[in-house]
Amino acid sequence: MTTEPDPRHWRRARRLLAAVLAALFAALLAYRVLHAGHLEQTALFYVGIPAVIAITVALTARPKSATGLIMAVVTVGLALSGPLLGEGVVCLVVAAPLFYLVGLVFGLLIDRARRRDDRRGAHLLIAPLLLLMVAEGATEATSLPRDTTVSAVRATAGADVERALAGTPSFGPFRSAFLRAGFPVPVAAEGEGLEVGAVRRITFTPRRSLGIGARPEPRSMTLRVKQRAAGLAVFEVVADTTLARWLHLREARFAWTDAELTVSLRYRRTFDPAWYFGPVQAYGAGQAAGYLAETFTR
């Protein structure tokens, strides 16, 4: 004896499928619009797209839990974004927590409103929240301070820091788990000397995006000695195809005594919102400063 499928089950399944497809299409359309407007590094992109997914799901489906469905759609969207949009592993790893967080916030608000049957109240909460979250970075007036300096200190342990800095750098593997997550690795270096104007050119592993048919893109960084004094060498970044997609590195400052070396990196944050990307970029730059300090005190 067979049981006929419940028509309501199939209608619900079709609605959910339609909601998923509509949300992904809306997110892709939002990406294209923001990319065309050069807004792909603003909060409007990193907060707006998961918000578009959440709102589209809420308007096109009535699942038992909007939060669960939003999380599922965000997961599918992130999995597809690499091959379809040509993103790299680092971009996905860094952006994923923010996408999930925004989706979670809007999902919980939607589910709360449905339980209380208070859609008007949900609109009053979601609209100003969305406006506040996506406004940052869209214009200079809505941007928070971007210039940042991070430092790392390492004991010299008897190493001749000045001699190491004056020679051609020899880089080892990353020990930081964060940097090993897909950040570019220095593989070769040219140049020597610490007199003002001396140049270093560092070649990194090529960028390999997840885009279909994407080719590796060469990456390098050129630095020039900007300032020199006893126990001090400051390198300014004059060309960079390595970190430019991540942040604008301005200078690397090396200050040393017989006991310790301090490496300071000055950079300009390029991504919004600041409350998320500020700490993430500061942590990554701090790890890079630590790696440089270890390189020249080995």
Side-chain angles (χ1 to χ4, degrees), residues 1-297:
M1 185 175 181
T2 60
T3 304
E4 290 293 329
D6 186 349
R8 291 175 298 178
H9 170 77
W10 291 111
R11 285 196 297 271
R12 187 180 302 112
R14 285 195 295 268
R15 282 199 304 269
L16 291 178
L17 177 59
V20 171
L21 295 176
L24 293 176
F25 177 78
L28 179 60
L29 181 62
Y31 169 85
R32 293 299 184 187
V33 171
L34 294 174
H35 184 74
H38 304 289
L39 296 171
E40 64 269 26
Q41 292 180 317
T42 66
L44 193 60
F45 182 93
Y46 287 100
V47 175
I49 286 184
V52 165
I53 291 175
I55 293 170
T56 304
V57 166
L59 294 176
T60 56
R62 291 191 59 83
K64 293 182 179 179
S65 169
T67 303
L69 183 57
I70 289 169
M71 294 293 102
V73 176
V74 168
T75 301
V76 174
L78 288 172
L80 292 176
S81 64
L84 293 181
L85 305 179
E87 297 298 335
V89 173
V90 172
C91 293
L92 295 181
V93 169
V94 172
L98 180 57
F99 271 63
Y100 282 118
L101 177 61
V102 175
L104 177 65
V105 169
F106 281 92
L108 292 175
L109 286 175
I110 293 168
D111 283 333
R112 177 176 177 274
R114 284 178 174 171
R115 286 195 300 270
R116 298 187 176 188
D117 196 21
D118 183 17
R119 296 185 182 182
R120 184 173 180 276
H123 294 160
L124 292 176
L125 283 173
I126 291 175
L129 177 64
L130 179 59
L131 181 62
L132 180 65
M133 294 176 74
V134 304
E136 185 190 341
T139 66
E140 284 299 322
T142 59
S143 297
L144 296 177
R146 298 183 179 277
D147 293 324
T148 308
T149 300
V150 297
S151 300
V153 181
R154 295 291 185 274
T156 59
D160 189 340
V161 174
E162 184 170 3
R163 182 179 179 181
L165 284 169
T168 302
S170 177
F171 298 102
F174 291 145
R175 291 200 299 173
S176 165
F178 184 83
L179 296 180
R180 291 201 307 267
F183 284 90
V185 180
V187 294
E190 302 173 5
E192 58 184 18
L194 286 179
E195 67 278 5
V196 173
V199 172
R200 301 288 190 282
R201 187 177 188 277
I202 305 170
T203 302
F204 291 78
T205 50
R207 179 178 184 269
R208 300 179 184 275
S209 76
L210 300 175
I212 299 172
R215 297 181 179 181
E217 302 174 16
R219 294 185 288 196
S220 65
M221 183 183 298
T222 302
L223 303 98
R224 181 171 56 213
V225 178
K226 171 185 176 182
Q227 182 182 352
R228 178 74 171 99
L232 175 69
V234 181
F235 292 80
E236 62 178 339
V237 178
V238 295
D240 179 22
T241 59
T242 302
L243 299 176
R245 297 171 64 94
W246 169 245
L247 53 79
H248 289 165
L249 183 63
R250 299 297 177 84
E251 68 177 31
R253 180 185 182 93
F254 297 81
W256 65 92
T257 64
D258 290 339
E260 64 183 27
L261 166 65
T262 301
V263 178
S264 301
L265 299 180
R266 184 169 65 86
Y267 67 91
R268 184 172 178 81
R269 177 178 53 83
T270 55
F271 286 81
D272 295 299
W275 58 265
Y276 179 78
F277 285 108
V280 171
Q281 289 190 343
Y283 179 78
Q287 294 293 295
Y291 170 74
L292 290 174
E294 292 168 0
T295 296
F296 293 104
T297 54

